[in-house]
Amino acid sequence: MKKTLSLLLALVMLLTAIPMAFTSCSDGEDDDPGADIHLFLSNRIYDLDPTLAMVDDDAAQVLSLLYEPLFKLNADGSVGYALAKSYKIDKANREMTITLRKTYWSDSKRVTADDVVYAWKRILNPNYENPAAALLFDVENALYIKQGGKDEETMSISTLGVKADGVDKLVISFRKDLDYIDYDEFLRNLTSVALAPVPENTIGTNPAVSDNWSKRVATIVTNGPFTLSALAHLSGEFALQRNQYYRRSKNSDSSISKYVTPQLLSTTWQTMDMSYEEYEKFLTENVIIHFADDEGNQNMKDSFYFIGELPIAVRASDKYAGKVITNDLLSVSSCVLNMTAKGNPALQNAKIRQALSLIVDRDQLAKDLVYAKAATGFVTPGVLEPGKKTDFRTDANALIATGSKATEAENLIEEGMQELGYTDKAQLGELRLLYSGESINDGYTAKVLKAAWESLGFTVILDAAYGQQRTVANDVLVLDSVLQMNFNSNWSDCRVDEDDLEEPEEETEEETLEEGETVEGEEGEEEEEEIEGEEGEEDVEGEEGEEDFEDEEQEEIVIVDTTADVMLIDYQMLATNALATLAGFALETSGNGYDKTDISSDGSKEYSYSLTPHVSGYNSEAYNALIDAAYNAKNAEERAAALHEAEELLLQDMPVIPLVFNQDYYLISDTLTKITANEYGMPVFTKAYQKGYKDLLLYGEAEGEDEDQ
């Protein structure tokens, strides 16, 4: 079997690094060692902060294994319990109280309500650009805090309508100035991994830790069924070990296998920076799926049991016909256009932007990518109509032509050039397209866009971003995310101040919750018990007099001084909430906080403050008014009408060009069972079972090793 040297070296490194991690806590009553499942994923991931899963499907997939939000999303649009074990709603006072189940961070400390409060305040920090803030704008003062405060009172983060009541209770106060609060929709927001708790005690206020805690094995702490145990950016290997403290304390006698079946997910990414053609060749020659009836006596050391990336040529062939599993994602591959003064001036013309969209043959692109669907709007299937459990997309018109409209595009180019005063297509100039050089889909899509846009008269420069281009210091790599999303070619505007995985048993009905219902007698749910005097464990109580976030200057770290005109990203729908999805393009709800400018002429530091628009620079008064109308709607029908009109206007103005609705796809060995997908389309490995794993040593059998090793 063919293997790369880097893969073998990485596996040896993992073998030497991992055993120490298993000695910290007994597996419990049956000491089931659990399987080591060998996976191949695609893009490398550089940051495992749950608030950063915005523009990368691969990051979202891994983060959903590491962090558990308060609730999980069921197929019918209802919610089930995850970190939460009960909730109550007081509609008269517009309050919701959520009680957390007893569970622990991977460092054995209790997950507390204060950790949730801290995570949400971090998202709402006006110095911290984060579109997930829109998921919280129904909370009292959340919007005003994100905007820097409408007055001195609401500027303080301490006025946020979220408080911890002891260790396990979260009390949420909702806005009194709105006529309509959709509590069911808010509960669905809480199924998003972006709103999962983060460990306040770990992150703290030390910038050296707060900026990098989720990028290193030594500092990362997670509350989901898995945690990070090995990470090697250069070789492209990492490992997720089951969290020994997930749903159990370090003094527990119960077996961890009761909660999480696999011991280890040994994961491989591509091993070096390659063009997509080189990457396809690498996959074809080196990544082999294990099937029990394959010839060659394949075993764990030379084949994978789960593959999440396939070369396009293999996808289009019948090699794995009937064996590839697909799930629709709440994600759309999109081009974000730079409409600011730093971008190509032609992009400030709406007709030019529309032409760039019309020329793209989405049907053909989806057919070529195989596991994708031509986008008909910006909001993806799976996002729900306000007040209903039906798709927003189903109730909307198709807003984008899926086939190429070359004649219409040419006409719009001519009209746009006239409006700009251009007389020659050469004046259209260059479009620099920034995309991930580590993604097969992005590499292929970038070449399709280049050909299409050059047919209109542009000169298109493809700018592939790789991991080392985004290296900033001390081997810490910056994630390409909306938080840092800008038009610099290194994607590293570093402004950060610092799954619903309990799988239901097979053939059982999904758990649907009624208000006030608590979780009792669940499999995998340990009885509540107070743990006193644990080393490193202390109850976290609410503190008064919370300090406001410091209004400190943010430095932009720029390595390659190049401005892009277009960014190709996977735009994640953070939840099934259409309002939160579309709010990011409105000025007041962009989640980007405010710009602070020194307007003094004598150095006295007199500042002016202005809200920061969407990263594209898009700021439409008409669009802003529609989003404001949606927030202030008197009922679900009014909200839905405003949102459908807003999406239509967005795609007329075209600051973003949706291309294809993304799908997750993967091959699973026939010896691997009980892998399901959550309602966000992400695979769930919590109860995955590998047949015969006890008969195998880690990565190979005791005898019969290949002679070429």
Side-chain angles (χ1 to χ4, degrees):
M1 296 300 173
K2 297 182 179 179
K3 300 178 282 286
T4 62
L5 179 61
S6 60
L7 175 59
L8 292 175
L9 291 175
L11 296 182
V12 172
M13 179 190 70
L14 290 176
L15 279 170
T16 58
I18 289 166
M20 291 292 291
F22 298 140
T23 61
S24 60
C25 179
S26 169
D27 274 352
E29 56 194 16
D30 61 6
D31 283 331
D32 182 351
D36 170 20
I37 302 173
H38 197 185
L39 295 77
F40 183 89
L41 299 180
S42 51
N43 297 353
R44 284 175 288 186
I45 302 166
Y46 303 110
D47 196 323
L48 295 168
D49 187 322
T51 64
L52 302 184
M54 310 300 175
V55 298
D56 186 346
D57 289 337
D58 299 296
Q61 184 179 95
V62 173
L63 291 170
S64 68
L65 301 174
L66 297 176
Y67 299 96
E68 184 170 61
L70 289 165
F71 297 94
K72 64 181 179 181
L73 186 64
N74 292 330
D76 64 355
S78 64
V79 298
Y81 290 114
L83 174 58
K85 73 171 186 178
S86 68
Y87 73 93
K88 293 181 180 179
I89 300 174
D90 179 355
K91 293 184 179 180
N93 293 307
R94 292 203 169 185
E95 281 192 353
M96 179 184 293
T97 301
I98 299 173
T99 302
L100 309 187
R101 68 169 84 236
K102 182 173 282 188
T103 188
Y104 297 83
W105 293 105
S106 54
D107 64 356
S108 81
K109 293 183 172 63
R110 176 81 176 267
V111 178
T112 70
D114 273 315
D115 291 321
V116 180
V117 174
Y118 175 74
W120 293 5
K121 287 183 175 180
R122 188 166 168 256
I123 289 170
L124 293 168
N125 182 342
N127 296 322
Y128 186 25
E129 298 179 10
N130 197 319
L135 299 173
L136 298 170
F137 285 159
D138 282 339
V139 176
E140 189 71 31
N141 287 330
L143 177 60
Y144 306 126
I145 290 167
K146 192 64 180 178
Q147 294 175 349
K150 65 175 181 179
D151 51 45
E152 189 171 333
E153 180 182 351
T154 59
M155 187 176 294
S156 171
I157 190 66
S158 62
T159 67
L160 180 65
V162 179
K163 307 292 181 187
D165 181 8
V167 176
D168 64 348
K169 283 188 171 53
L170 188 70
V171 181
I172 303 167
S173 300
F174 294 92
R175 291 173 61 176
K176 307 297 191 296
D177 61 325
L178 297 179
D179 291 324
Y180 171 62
I181 297 289
D182 188 335
Y183 296 102
D184 290 336
E185 188 169 65
F186 185 79
L187 285 169
R188 287 193 291 270
N189 289 354
L190 302 186
T191 67
S192 173
V193 71
L195 297 185
V198 294
E200 180 177 8
N201 289 337
T202 297
I203 301 173
T205 57
N206 181 354
V209 176
S210 63
D211 288 351
N212 302 319
W213 72 278
S214 54
K215 302 170 186 174
R216 294 170 174 158
V217 175
T219 53
I220 192 170
V221 178
T222 67
N223 77 314
F226 296 94
T227 193
L228 186 67
S229 62
L231 179 63
H233 288 299
L234 296 181
S235 62
E237 322 294 331
F238 84 130
L240 302 182
Q241 173 193 330
R242 61 185 173 190
N243 177 3
Q244 298 288 332
Y245 306 109
Y246 179 66
R247 305 284 174 88
R248 66 200 282 270
S249 73
K250 63 184 178 183
N251 294 334
S252 175
D253 292 329
S254 63
S255 171
I256 183 58
S257 61
K258 182 179 180 181
Y259 311 96
V260 187
T261 305
Q263 175 200 91
L264 199 66
L265 303 180
S266 301
T267 305
T268 302
W269 292 304
Q270 66 185 87
T271 58
M272 63 190 74
D273 299 327
M274 307 175 182
S275 67
Y276 86 90
E277 295 94 344
E278 292 169 332
Y279 188 20
E280 284 204 314
K281 185 175 185 293
F282 163 77
L283 289 180
T284 303
E285 294 180 351
N286 296 283
V287 179
I288 303 163
I289 186 71
H290 175 101
F291 289 119
D293 58 354
D294 280 350
E295 296 180 0
N297 192 30
Q298 294 179 11
N299 56 44
M300 294 184 71
K301 67 182 183 339
D302 52 21
S303 62
F304 294 89
Y305 285 71
F306 179 98
I307 292 180
E309 182 74 288
L310 289 172
I312 290 176
V314 174
R315 301 180 205 176
S317 72
D318 59 358
K319 181 175 182 180
Y320 295 119
K323 295 182 178 180
V324 175
I325 298 170
T326 60
N327 296 304
D328 291 337
L329 296 173
L330 273 68
S331 168
V332 56
S333 176
S334 304
C335 290
V336 179
L337 305 182
N338 188 350
M339 297 166 56
T340 71
K342 295 182 178 180
N344 183 321
L347 295 181
Q348 297 186 34
N349 182 275
K351 291 179 178 177
I352 298 290
R353 298 194 298 270
Q354 292 166 10
L356 293 175
S357 175
L358 281 172
I359 195 65
V360 178
D361 190 338
R362 293 171 174 82
D363 288 326
Q364 187 62 49
L365 178 60
K367 182 179 179 181
D368 292 346
L369 295 176
V370 181
Y371 307 117
K373 297 178 180 179
T376 56
F378 178 73
V379 178
T380 69
V383 174
L384 302 182
E385 183 81 356
K388 299 180 182 179
K389 293 180 180 178
T390 57
D391 265 10
F392 182 89
R393 188 81 272 129
T394 301
D395 291 348
N397 297 322
L399 301 177
I400 307 173
T402 56
S404 176
K405 302 290 184 181
T407 302
E408 293 178 36
E410 285 285 356
N411 291 338
L412 285 172
I413 287 289
E414 294 295 334
E415 292 174 18
M417 288 176 59
Q418 289 179 11
E419 292 176 3
L420 292 168
Y422 294 175
T423 58
D424 190 325
K425 280 192 174 183
Q427 292 175 276
L428 291 172
E430 291 184 352
L431 286 180
R432 184 173 292 274
L433 171 60
L434 179 64
Y435 68 98
S436 171
E438 300 172 350
S439 166
I440 286 180
N441 280 13
D442 284 4
Y444 184 86
T445 301
K447 291 183 180 294
V448 169
L449 294 173
K450 176 181 171 67
W453 293 345
E454 288 189 339
S455 73
L456 294 176
F458 286 95
T459 299
V460 179
I461 308 299
L462 298 185
D463 191 354
Y466 294 98
Q468 69 266 35
Q469 285 181 277
R470 299 191 293 270
T471 302
V472 290
N474 300 322
D475 196 32
V476 175
L477 297 156
V478 179
L479 175 70
D480 24 314
S481 100
V482 167
L483 293 180
Q484 291 107 1
M485 186 173 68
N486 65 70
F487 290 95
N488 293 317
S489 66
N490 59 343
W491 297 10
S492 60
D493 179 10
C494 299
R495 302 191 184 187
V496 182
D497 285 347
E498 344 196 40
D499 221 282
D500 34 57
L501 293 168
E502 184 184 11
E503 177 185 332
E505 291 297 314
E506 291 186 30
E507 299 181 0
T508 61
E509 294 183 358
E510 287 183 308
E511 175 188 35
T512 301
L513 307 182
E514 298 296 334
E515 177 188 337
E517 182 183 354
T518 60
V519 178
E520 295 180 358
E522 290 183 297
E523 180 178 346
E525 171 70 5
E526 192 173 344
E527 290 295 321
E528 292 281 341
E529 59 180 8
E530 290 300 321
I531 300 174
E532 299 179 1
E534 286 189 10
E535 182 180 351
E537 168 81 357
E538 57 184 41
D539 286 347
V540 181
E541 298 181 357
E543 296 181 3
E544 298 182 359
E546 295 164 303
E547 295 183 3
D548 294 345
F549 287 119
E550 290 185 17
D551 185 19
E552 54 189 357
E553 297 289 335
Q554 301 296 320
E555 282 192 358
E556 181 180 9
I557 301 175
V558 178
I559 302 163
V560 182
D561 186 15
T562 303
T563 299
D565 303 295
V566 184
M567 284 186 297
L568 177 60
I569 62 171
D570 295 328
Y571 227 118
Q572 306 292 324
M573 312 290 110
L574 300 180
T576 59
N577 185 336
L579 176 53
T581 296
L582 294 168
F585 292 92
L587 180 63
E588 292 194 348
T589 55
S590 69
N592 290 339
Y594 58 86
D595 283 330
K596 174 181 173 182
T597 306
D598 186 352
I599 59 175
S600 63
S601 58
D602 57 2
S604 59
K605 294 187 177 180
E606 179 184 353
Y607 295 104
S608 69
Y609 297 85
S610 59
L611 293 176
T612 306
H614 184 263
V615 67
S616 63
Y618 180 63
N619 183 15
S620 161
E621 289 185 6
Y623 186 85
N624 296 343
L626 287 169
I627 296 300
D628 184 65
Y631 271 108
N632 289 282
K634 291 181 172 58
N635 51 54
E637 291 74 18
E638 280 190 16
R639 177 168 291 176
L643 292 176
H644 283 294
E645 191 175 347
E647 187 192 27
E648 186 172 354
L649 178 58
L650 180 72
L651 296 182
Q652 289 172 4
D653 293 342
M654 203 63 74
V656 60
I657 301 176
L659 299 171
V660 294
F661 295 139
N662 292 318
Q663 291 184 302
D664 188 35
Y665 67 92
Y666 43 87
L667 280 169
I668 301 179
S669 166
D670 50 10
T671 62
L672 190 59
T673 61
K674 296 187 178 180
I675 292 179
T676 61
N678 64 32
E679 294 307 313
Y680 286 90
M682 307 301 178
V684 177
F685 290 90
T686 313
K687 296 296 178 69
Y689 181 76
Q690 183 171 297
K691 297 175 184 177
Y693 74 90
K694 291 182 180 180
D695 298 329
L696 296 171
L697 297 175
L698 202 61
Y699 302 114
E701 297 180 345
E703 297 180 357
E705 302 285 355
D706 287 353
E707 293 181 0
D708 63 346
Q709 262 202 131

